[in-house]
Amino acid sequence: MRRDRDRAGWPAPRAGKLTDSDSMYALPSNAPGYNFHAHLTGRWEETPAARQHHDPRAAATHHALETARTVSGLYPLTEHQTAQTHINSRLGTSHDLDDAPVRLLWAQVHLTADSSDIDAIVCLQRQMHDEAQNEHANRQRQYQAEELHRALSTTPTMALAYWLIRQPEAADRNTIDALSQLTREITAYAPHTAWVQVAHLLHTFVQGLPTPARVNLVDSLAQIFTRYDQPELADRLSALSPQIQSANGHLPDSAPGGPRLGA
């Protein structure tokens, strides 16, 4: 078909509609596998160029659909009207295509969705909501259990109070007496207290040793630290060796004034 030329020799610019109103396109939603149905309308025109596009309507339609896909993928099927408004706000003004001498004058999309797909999405959303609620509740229970564990570990007698709160019918006289005895035994057992006693025993033991024996003890402890993969503690213990050799600030084999030169 021969095209008319204007006075400058350029062909008359073409213009037309994007597509027929009966054409339908699939636009993705934010749920993979579930798509909107889109009807696209609009108008386009050519822009002056030395080499014209073979199918300007296809170029304009492709641009409109790509813009619509970018937006529709942000929305679920249940929000098709909101997605439609967002898309049409993007397509409501003219836009020159970057890769073709074509101008999209305007475009409009009408979105619909299958009712069965909408029902499936509603079920999926409800399931995701329930899973999020259950996960939150599980985190809360775990946090409460950890807090209770820390509290019971710090104060063992709290376990008895917690048990009585949960089992009040079990609190008869015999139970109270048994719990009192158990409380005394629990309170008497404290690992940190036992370690303090061990430290005192070591101090008493070392205080009566001569200097060579103290040096040998420090070296032995340093070897034990190293054996249990604690080389830093071993180095620190070796650095303290001169102080550990004297329990009272002076060597036991010397006079209180310290060792004498030439002795």
Side-chain angles (χ1 to χ4, degrees), residues 183-190 193:
T183 299
R184 288 191 294 270
E185 294 179 1
I186 291 177
T187 305
Y189 174 75
T193 303

Side-chain angles (χ1 to χ4, degrees), residues 9-10 18 30 38 43 46 57 68 80 94 139 160 177 199-200 203 210 217 220 230 233 237 258 262:
W10 291 99
L18 284 183
N30 69 344
R43 295 195 66 85
E46 287 183 313
R57 187 179 74 167
H80 60 278
S94 62
R139 287 198 303 267
L160 304 179
D177 293 340
H200 284 301
H203 176 73
L217 178 61
S220 299
Q230 297 290 338
L233 293 180
L237 182 61

Side-chain angles (χ1 to χ4, degrees), residues 4-244:
D4 296 333
R5 294 178 179 269
D6 59 15
R7 295 180 181 179
W10 291 99
R14 291 172 292 179
K17 297 180 181 180
L18 284 183
T19 183
D20 298 330
S21 59
D22 293 337
S23 299
M24 184 179 296
Y25 301 92
L27 296 181
S29 69
N30 69 344
Y34 294 93
N35 296 323
F36 296 102
H37 302 308
H39 294 273
L40 178 66
T41 57
R43 295 195 66 85
W44 58 270
E45 68 177 10
E46 287 183 313
T47 57
R51 300 182 64 179
Q52 299 297 312
H53 195 282
H54 175 70
D55 192 346
R57 187 179 74 167
T61 300
H62 174 73
H63 173 77
L65 290 176
E66 286 301 301
T67 302
R69 287 190 181 95
T70 301
V71 176
S72 68
L74 304 175
Y75 293 90
L77 292 185
T78 53
E79 298 183 16
H80 60 278
Q81 292 181 343
T82 304
Q84 175 179 295
T85 300
H86 190 173
I87 292 171
N88 291 334
S89 69
R90 294 274 188 91
L91 298 177
T93 58
S94 62
H95 179 78
D96 291 348
L97 277 61
D98 295 332
D99 54 353
V102 179
R103 177 180 295 118
L104 178 64
L105 296 176
W106 63 270
Q108 189 174 56
V109 169
H110 178 67
L111 291 184
T112 58
D114 291 339
S115 59
S116 58
D117 288 346
I118 292 178
D119 292 340
I121 289 298
V122 170
C123 292
L124 180 62
Q125 289 176 332
R126 185 178 297 113
Q127 180 181 354
M128 293 173 62
H129 175 74
D130 292 342
E131 290 177 354
Q133 289 292 101
N134 291 335
E135 183 179 355
H136 177 72
N138 290 335
R139 287 198 303 267
Q140 285 292 105
R141 284 193 291 268
Q142 182 177 356
Y143 174 77
Q144 292 173 356
E146 291 174 351
E147 286 294 309
L148 178 61
H149 177 267
R150 282 191 289 268
L152 297 181
S153 299
T154 305
T155 308
T157 53
M158 186 180 292
L160 304 179
Y162 182 78
W163 181 75
L164 286 176
I165 291 175
R166 293 301 182 116
Q167 305 289 338
E169 70 280 0
D172 56 16
R173 183 60 190 175
N174 293 332
T175 303
I176 297 298
D177 293 340
L179 290 179
S180 297
Q181 177 63 27
L182 184 58
T183 299
R184 288 191 294 270
E185 294 179 1
I186 291 177
T187 305
Y189 174 75
H192 63 277
T193 303
W195 282 112
V196 170
Q197 294 175 0
V198 170
H200 284 301
L201 289 175
L202 286 174
H203 176 73
T204 303
F205 172 70
V206 172
Q207 196 171 19
L209 294 178
T211 300
R214 292 181 184 178
V215 173
N216 180 264
L217 178 61
V218 170
D219 293 340
S220 299
L221 289 175
Q223 293 176 6
I224 292 175
F225 289 171
T226 303
R227 186 184 310 159
Y228 285 94
D229 198 22
Q230 297 290 338
E232 294 182 359
L233 293 180
D235 293 340
R236 290 169 59 185
L237 182 61
S238 298
L240 293 173
S241 178
Q243 302 177 37
I244 297 176

